Amino acid sequence: MTRASGSRSGGRVPADSPLWPALQPQPVCVFVDGAEHARLRGAVTDSLEQFALRGTRCYTVR
């Protein structure tokens, strides 16, 4: 975003923008406890289990 385009909207994303949902605060499993943590952590774990660990290890281990 250029300075000129940012100054037109005051540096804010309008509520009717397609980007609005992506820029809203999202729940993060690190900052919650109990059942909410288990629910969010389960979603992360289930998603990551779809990847082959051996294939992703070379990208994540330094």
Side-chain angles (χ1 to χ4, degrees):
M1 178 163 77
T2 64
R3 184 178 297 255
S5 65
S7 64
R8 274 187 248 139
S9 64
R12 301 199 183 274
V13 176
D16 61 347
S17 168
L19 292 175
W20 182 257
L23 299 175
Q24 296 307 300
Q26 303 293 319
V28 180
C29 59
V30 174
F31 299 119
V32 294
D33 293 322
E36 182 70 2
H37 173 80
R39 184 182 72 81
L40 293 171
R41 180 65 185 161
V44 170
T45 302
D46 291 346
S47 298
L48 291 177
E49 284 177 350
Q50 297 179 19
F51 295 96
L53 293 179
R54 186 175 295 263
T56 57
R57 186 177 309 268
C58 64
Y59 295 106
T60 57
V61 176
R62 293 180 185 210

